[in-house]
Amino acid sequence: MSKGTVCVCGAGNASQVFIALFASQGYEVTVLADFEDEAERLEAALALSGGITVTNRSDPENICTFKGGPVRVSKHAVDVVPQADSVVIALPSFAHKKILEDVRDHLRSGAVLFVMPGQGGVDFLGRQILGDRLLRGDVILAGVMPMPLNCRIQKFGDSVDLASIKHSYDLAAIPAEAAPQAAAMLSTMLGKEVRALEHFIAVHLWPANPNIHPGRLYALFHEHVAGKVYERNPLFYEEFDELSAEWCQKINDERMAVWTAAVQQSGGAVGNVEDVPHLKPYIESAYFGQIHDSSTL
């Protein structure tokens, strides 16, 4: 018996993991792949593979695989969205506007849209594009942090390498009072803990890539001069050093100061100070059981 229908948007790395994951767990999965010939390519690949096989090595001591495929793939929202109880948008921020415009007129009443990652202003786009349906709660828009997966396609429509899946998640929703409902739904879908936040500003100030990437890039290239040639591509995470940690911590401290001020000046309307974590404990929580040495950032 089906657990319901999930529409996965796109056919990139994360989307292909979600297709296999939800299908293998008993959901009917549809796919909206509207980029160029992505839908046709995915259908052709699935006809040969019979489904996408994901190798999950997030626990090196217990490497496993799961496999699954969609019941329908299309580049047209009318084919794959109306039947969906939830829509998973695991796409870069620049793609959010077009996807929301595509699905807007085809969402069933009560549908929940999960945007991963939830940063990038999707709440503003949602209000603009989904309008009254969103504001009155006929549909729910949830921004999820962090992005659940670190993964890479090995063979399109056939196999994906899943390096890690985060341990827990947080989300904010519009309408705000629907966040607990959306969190419970996503928790069931992912089999992970999902916490409901009071306001989208908490998602925007989450200690994700905007906290990590600038500090790391500064540490890598602060001594760069025009014309300098690098012998190799530096490893972004594997060679993360103390200077990178120092600058990430400085960004963390400013970010948390902004969040604390927002909580205080709103009288707690946006949430509690502890709702948004510092960078180091967040990483330890997100990658619980996958970090060998957590003594320093």
Side-chain angles (χ1 to χ4, degrees):
M1 182 177 177
S2 172
K3 294 180 177 179
T5 301
V6 181
C7 177
V8 176
C9 296
N13 294 303
S15 296
Q16 293 203 27
V17 172
F18 283 133
I19 291 167
L21 176 64
F22 297 140
S24 69
Q25 292 181 344
Y27 292 92
E28 288 197 344
V29 177
T30 62
V31 180
L32 174 60
D34 65 346
F35 180 70
E36 296 182 348
D37 64 345
E38 205 169 46
E40 294 84 356
R41 289 173 55 222
L42 183 59
E43 282 191 297
L46 289 167
L48 295 175
S49 67
I52 297 168
T53 299
V54 177
T55 300
N56 180 5
R57 55 183 182 86
S58 56
D59 179 1
E61 303 299 321
N62 185 31
I63 296 175
C64 60
T65 63
F66 54 87
K67 182 176 182 176
V71 296
R72 180 134 193 214
V73 177
S74 178
K75 61 173 55 179
H76 304 294
V78 66
D79 297 329
V80 292
V81 173
Q83 61 270 53
D85 304 294
S86 61
V87 178
V88 172
I89 305 172
L91 297 169
S93 297
F94 67 78
H96 292 169
K97 183 175 187 291
K98 186 177 187 304
I99 284 292
L100 291 177
E101 290 173 340
D102 286 349
V103 306
R104 173 182 54 202
D105 297 330
H106 307 291
L107 294 165
R108 69 191 303 176
S109 180
V112 182
L113 295 87
F114 295 105
V115 183
M116 310 173 184
Q119 294 178 330
V122 70
D123 48 330
F124 295 99
L125 287 173
R127 290 188 180 95
Q128 174 190 338
I129 295 168
L130 302 178
D132 289 343
R133 289 196 69 189
L134 183 63
L135 297 179
R136 70 172 184 264
D138 187 49
V139 295
I140 298 169
L141 177 68
V144 181
M145 293 300 295
M147 176 65 194
L149 314 170
N150 291 342
C151 56
R152 187 167 297 278
I153 293 170
Q154 300 299 299
K155 184 178 180 182
F156 188 86
D158 178 278
S159 54
V160 185
D161 176 57
L162 176 58
S164 67
I165 183 166
K166 310 300 194 307
H167 182 67
S168 61
Y169 308 90
D170 293 80
L171 66 73
I174 303 174
E177 59 270 19
Q181 173 190 342
M185 186 178 193
L186 185 62
S187 179
T188 299
M189 292 166 63
L190 294 178
K192 302 287 185 178
E193 178 186 359
V194 181
R195 185 175 61 133
L197 299 171
E198 297 287 339
H199 198 281
F200 247 96
I201 192 174
V203 168
H204 292 310
L205 289 172
W206 207 249
N209 291 350
N211 192 151
I212 300 169
H213 289 189
R216 176 60 175 142
L217 289 169
Y218 177 79
L220 283 170
F221 301 114
H222 69 286
E223 295 180 338
H224 178 79
V225 294
K228 180 177 180 178
V229 177
Y230 295 85
E231 294 181 358
R232 62 180 180 85
N233 289 328
L235 298 176
F236 197 86
Y237 289 110
E238 291 87 341
E239 296 175 349
F240 206 94
D241 57 14
E242 289 300 325
L243 184 60
S244 302
E246 176 185 341
W247 282 97
C248 288
Q249 185 62 47
K250 290 179 179 180
I251 297 170
N252 171 84
D253 295 344
E254 289 191 4
R255 177 183 58 81
M256 290 303 295
V258 172
W259 169 245
T260 300
V263 171
Q264 293 172 346
Q265 293 182 31
S266 70
V270 299
N272 302 310
V273 171
E274 58 269 22
D275 287 346
V276 173
H278 285 268
L279 180 58
K280 185 173 182 291
Y282 155 71
I283 292 175
E284 291 171 344
S285 173
Y287 292 97
F288 181 79
Q290 302 175 50
I291 300 174
H292 297 294
D293 181 3
S294 61
S295 58
T296 66
L297 180 57

